[in-house]
Amino acid sequence: EVQLVESGGGLVQPGGSLRLSCAASGFTFSSYWMSWVRQAPGKGLEWVANIKQDGSEKYYVDSVKGRFTISRDNAKNSLYLQMNSLRAEDTAVYYCARDRFLLGPWGQGTLVTVSS
Amino acid sequence: DIQMTQSPSSLSASVGDRVTITCQASQDISNYLNWYQQKPGKAPKLLIYDASNLETGVPSRFSGSGSGTDFTFTISSLQPEDIATYYCQQYDNLPPDFGPGTKVDIK
């Protein structure tokens, strides 16, 4: 069974940093693009970033460019999102999802709250 | 960026009703359009990809159609378990943006 489990969310002050992790199992992780998508409380879905199988290509939504970094460790079947210079508007549930564009399956999400 | 709109933003229908949601892109996206279902408190789930292809395991009462800028998502016979918010998503261009969602509930 394909499983994605996010971790690393929490409460952080504006300007702070957080690193999210996504542990993958049940499929050949190194064969898939992987993505991060977020959802602010009560709002819709927003694609954040994706990364190619070997990490050689990475793409970001404009609002996080220069602040967030997506990475992966295929040996550990893990996906990461390093988030720096966090802002209140980054408050959201962050989901990892398999694939570049046909996103599925998804993890259960991890909540990031940016507040003083 | 390509702008995605959906209508209606919400709807109420009876069990067994046919439900139709439309999604419009601000420019031609060919058939690079997916539909997702998000039940309350849960992660989204891919239902339809490339505008009209049903993801494996998804009930056949769900269908999609369209190309270019105008797309339709249909539930042929609404079931209680279909209560959810439905999102379209284009992937012709980066960023692969989602529509604002359509909330479906039972009348």
Side-chain angles (χ1 to χ4, degrees):
Chain A
E1 178 194 4
V2 174
Q3 196 167 15
L4 297 169
V5 180
E6 301 93 337
S7 61
L11 175 63
V12 61
Q13 292 189 339
S17 298
L18 216 52
R19 189 196 196 206
L20 305 184
S21 299
C22 171
S25 60
F27 65 102
T28 305
F29 180 74
S30 59
S31 296
Y32 288 86
W33 281 76
M34 294 295 296
S35 300
W36 286 100
V37 178
R38 67 184 179 183
Q39 186 170 36
K43 302 297 184 182
L45 302 169
E46 180 183 36
W47 173 83
V48 174
N50 60 20
I51 184 169
K52 196 176 180 179
Q53 289 90 331
D54 61 359
S56 62
E57 294 182 35
K58 305 174 184 182
Y59 300 93
Y60 301 90
V61 68
D62 283 349
S63 60
V64 309
K65 282 179 183 175
R67 300 189 300 123
F68 290 12
T69 302
I70 189 172
S71 63
R72 64 192 297 161
D73 185 335
N74 288 341
K76 295 183 177 179
N77 290 337
S78 292
L79 175 72
Y80 306 101
L81 187 67
Q82 177 66 44
M83 302 186 297
N84 299 330
S85 302
L86 282 161
R87 307 166 179 168
E89 55 265 35
D90 295 318
T91 294
V93 174
Y94 285 74
Y95 297 99
C96 66
R98 189 177 71 175
D99 212 272
R100 184 178 188 185
F101 297 132
L102 275 60
L103 303 175
W106 300 50
Q108 85 289 349
T110 187
L111 176 62
V112 172
T113 303
V114 184
S115 175
S116 55
Chain B
D1 293 3
I2 297 175
Q3 306 305 313
M4 306 299 294
T5 57
Q6 285 182 238
S7 63
S9 57
S10 65
L11 67 90
S12 290
S14 300
V15 172
D17 281 355
R18 184 181 185 87
V19 168
T20 299
I21 299 168
T22 62
C23 175
Q24 189 168 56
S26 59
Q27 64 188 66
D28 189 336
I29 59 169
S30 185
N31 67 331
Y32 299 123
L33 191 284
N34 303 323
W35 289 95
Y36 297 84
Q37 175 193 62
Q38 186 177 31
K39 295 185 177 181
K42 300 294 186 182
K45 175 186 176 183
L46 178 65
L47 297 183
I48 290 172
Y49 63 94
D50 294 348
S52 61
N53 294 299
L54 203 63
E55 179 74 343
T56 302
V58 173
S60 59
R61 65 180 179 275
F62 297 101
S63 64
S65 64
S67 67
T69 61
D70 296 302
F71 302 86
T72 301
F73 172 83
T74 300
I75 307 173
S76 61
S77 177
L78 186 68
Q79 300 302 304
E81 60 266 33
D82 299 335
I83 293 174
T85 299
Y86 294 86
Y87 296 91
C88 60
Q89 176 219 9
Q90 69 81 21
Y91 65 99
D92 183 56
N93 279 359
L94 286 175
D97 280 332
F98 295 86
T102 296
K103 187 175 182 180
V104 175
D105 62 26
I106 302 292
K107 191 182 295 183

